[in-house]
């Protein structure tokens, strides 16, 4: 609102509304007394109604929501009816054009009625159509791609605290949990027992990936699967440093096990198509497919103690 001083709003509102009323009354008086033009009651009522709509819609900052303006318009309409029906003379005058159109005794009113009979249902159906049309716009709320995970997840009846759980397929030969199992020197080395076991798990994880995940996450794990573009949000691109590389392994475990339905509220607005895989895979299969994803993208798994 130009020239609007904050904190003055109610005063300004009152002043402007008063000004509009004065303009209306003076204008009508001048037209009537000086020029002999009397604005018909119905038109006056319509002008007041439209002026109210215009004022609430364009002059008030911050903008009022439609529901609030609708309430104000109903009150304006009630006010207008009280005013036009306050004297018998005004009421008769107000009704006259409406009744004339309804009766349609002259060619003009006949035509007005005919046009109204076409235009009114058409605009009503147009409005209904517009309201029912699904909107394809994105929701206003932002989606948190990596919301805070729960403290623990229960998968196949077993509870996994995310802070302390470890991938059972990432232990070395002695059964020790190893962050270095994926280091280059143990990878795909046919003479190193750790490496043989590791590659076996990776291979099994790969089978699981290509049976279940590549439709969405793509054969290159880049999120460009066959069905990827049918979804919003699109499937995660694991080669992007923004996903696997910066996620805790147990976070990924939670996401794979619980999928889109397991996301907390802030992860929701565009419902994720990611399936809850605990319904189709065993716990070990989930860990293996995760191992495969880290192996394929060459990102070292992040763990909590790092
Ligand atoms: C129907 C399509 C679909 C399939 C099949 C699918 N995903 Fe997803 N996945 C998604 C979508 C969409 C997202 C992104 C939205 C989200 O985070 O939930 C996602 C996100 C993820 C994430 C989270 C990544 C991040 O950065 O938070 C992981 C991990 C994941 N998927 C793993 C898998 C694994 C493993 C499989 C196979 C067992 C799989 N997905 C199969 C659609 C799918």
């Amino acid at each position: 609102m130009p020239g609007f001083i904050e904190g003055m709003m109610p005063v300004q509102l009152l002043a402007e509304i008063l000004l509009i009323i004065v303009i209306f009354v003076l204008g009508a008086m001048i037209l009537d007394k000086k020029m002999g033009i009397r604005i018909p009651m119905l038109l006056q009522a319509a002008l007041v109604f439209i002026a109210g709509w215009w004022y609430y819609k364009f002059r008030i900052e911050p903008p009022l929501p439609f529901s609030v303006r609708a309430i104000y318009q109903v009150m304006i309409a009630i006010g207008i009816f009280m005013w036009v029906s306050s004297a018998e003379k005004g009421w008769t005058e107000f009704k006259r054009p409406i009744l004339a159109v309804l009766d349609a005794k002259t060619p003009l009113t006949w035509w007005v009625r005919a046009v109204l009979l076409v235009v009114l249902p058409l605009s009503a159906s147009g409005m209904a159509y517009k309201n029912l049309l699904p909107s394809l716009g994105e929701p206003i709320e932002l989606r948190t791609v990596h919301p805070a995970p729960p403290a623990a997840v229960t998968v196949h009846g077993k509870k996994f605290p995310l802070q302390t759980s470890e991938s059972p397929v990432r232990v070395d030969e002695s059964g020790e949990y190893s962050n270095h199992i994926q280091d280059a020197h143990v990878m795909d080395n046919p003479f190193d027992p750790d490496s043989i076991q590791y590659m076996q798990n990776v291979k099994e994880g790969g089978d699981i990936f290509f049976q279940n995940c590549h439709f969405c996450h793509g054969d290159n794990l880049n999120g460009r699967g066959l069905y990827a573009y049918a979804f919003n949000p699109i499937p995660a691109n694991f080669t992007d440093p923004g996903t696997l590389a910066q996620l805790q392994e147990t976070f990924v475990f939670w996401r794979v096990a619980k999928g889109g339905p397991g996301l907390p509220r802030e992860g929701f607005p565009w419902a994720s198509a990611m399936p809850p895989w605990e319904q189709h895979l065993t716990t070990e299969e989930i860990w293996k497919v995760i191992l495969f994803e880290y192996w394929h993208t060459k990102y070292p798994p992040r763990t909590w103690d790092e």
Side-chain angles (χ1 to χ4, degrees), residues 18-32 44:
L18 271 178
L19 190 71
I20 291 175
I21 293 175
V22 167
I23 291 175
F24 259 80
V25 174
L26 273 185
M29 258 168 66
I30 291 172
L31 278 179
D32 190 8
Q44 287 187 32

Side-chain angles (χ1 to χ4, degrees), residues 242-257:
T243 77
L244 277 192
Q246 56 154 289
L247 296 175
Q248 253 78 31
E249 208 174 19
T250 49
F251 182 101
V252 179
F253 178 74
W254 162 59
R255 288 308 323 278
V256 177

